[in-house]
Amino acid sequence: GKISLTPTDDQAYSLNYARGWGEIRPMDFKSKVYSAEAKRIFDRTTLYSEVAYDEDAIAYTLRDEYKADDWRMSWKFRDLDKNFYTITGPPSGQGEVGGQVSFQWGREKLLLDSFLDIYRNRGNLNPAHPDALNVDFTTGTSIPLGETASWRTAFYFTDTPGYPITRRDTRLGNT
C-alpha cells in the first residue's frame, strides 16, 4: 500500500507498506517493510530521500540531481544495514554505506559521461581489510557517426579490497 501527498507540483511525500507471506519464503525475507519517501524540486535541482524499516533494520538513501541546459550531475548517499531485507529479498547495495556521483555533458556531436561509486561493504567483509573502501569508476565519450552508428570510448576501473575475494580491474574499450 502507498499513501501519497502532493501539496504542490514541486513536492511529494509518501508512506509505504509492503506485506509478504507464504510457507516457502526464505527465512531472511521480511514479512513487513515500511518506508517514507520525500521529493522536493528547487528550480533545476531535485532532492529525493527514503527511509525504510523492515522490523529489525533500517536503510537510508538520499539523492540529488541538478539539470542545466547541456549537462546533468547527480549524487546519491546510501546507508543500508547489512541485515536489511525487503519482502522479496535483499536490496541492491545491502550492507553498504557510500556515495555515488554521476555527470553527463552533451552537445549534438558529443556526449561525455562519468560515474564514481565509493563505498564500504559491511556485510561480506574482507577480514584483512574490514574498513577498506571499494571503488567503481567509469568515464566515456560517445560521438555519433551518422543516423545509425556511433563511436564510444570508455575507461573502467574497479577496486574492491573490502570483499573477501578482492578484484582490481582496469579496462579501456572502444565500440
Side-chain angles (χ1 to χ4, degrees):
K2 183 174 191 168
I3 297 172
S4 295
L5 173 65
T6 308
T8 63
D9 289 343
D10 62 353
Q11 57 184 319
Y13 308 95
S14 299
L15 295 174
N16 307 302
Y17 170 75
R19 174 84 166 100
W21 59 90
E23 294 179 12
I24 62 170
R25 291 167 44 83
M27 295 289 288
D28 292 340
F29 290 20
K30 299 300 178 169
S31 60
K32 297 175 187 170
V33 177
Y34 309 88
S35 75
E37 296 177 90
K39 173 183 168 183
R40 178 68 193 218
I41 301 170
F42 303 94
D43 192 28
R44 294 178 176 232
T45 301
T46 305
L47 183 65
Y48 306 88
S49 63
E50 183 174 13
V51 177
Y53 175 66
D54 71 0
E55 298 183 299
D56 294 312
I58 295 179
Y60 306 94
T61 59
L62 181 62
R63 182 169 59 101
D64 183 54
E65 184 176 288
Y66 180 85
K67 294 180 183 177
D69 294 333
D70 56 0
W71 64 277
R72 189 184 122 232
M73 185 171 184
S74 66
W75 60 265
K76 178 182 178 182
F77 171 77
R78 66 190 181 282
D79 186 354
L80 286 77
D81 190 280
K82 68 180 182 178
N83 298 313
F84 180 81
Y85 279 83
T86 70
I87 63 167
T88 58
S92 173
Q94 180 190 41
E96 295 178 358
V97 60
Q100 301 171 345
V101 177
S102 66
F103 177 80
Q104 288 183 335
W105 176 84
R107 296 281 173 127
E108 292 177 19
K109 301 291 182 185
L110 180 66
L111 173 66
L112 302 172
D113 59 83
S114 293
F115 173 80
L116 175 65
D117 187 7
I118 299 175
Y119 62 98
R120 189 172 38 146
N121 169 33
R122 296 176 300 195
N124 190 13
L125 295 174
N126 180 345
H129 304 286
D131 294 325
L133 292 177
N134 302 296
V135 177
D136 288 318
F137 176 68
T138 302
T139 189
T141 303
S142 299
I143 301 169
L145 301 173
E147 294 290 321
T148 59
S150 65
W151 177 305
R152 176 156 175 83
T153 298
F155 172 77
Y156 305 93
F157 174 75
T158 300
D159 187 19
T160 59
Y163 285 94
I165 299 173
T166 62
R167 184 180 73 178
R168 182 174 285 169
D169 182 29
T170 304
R171 291 178 282 141
L172 180 64
N174 285 296
T175 306

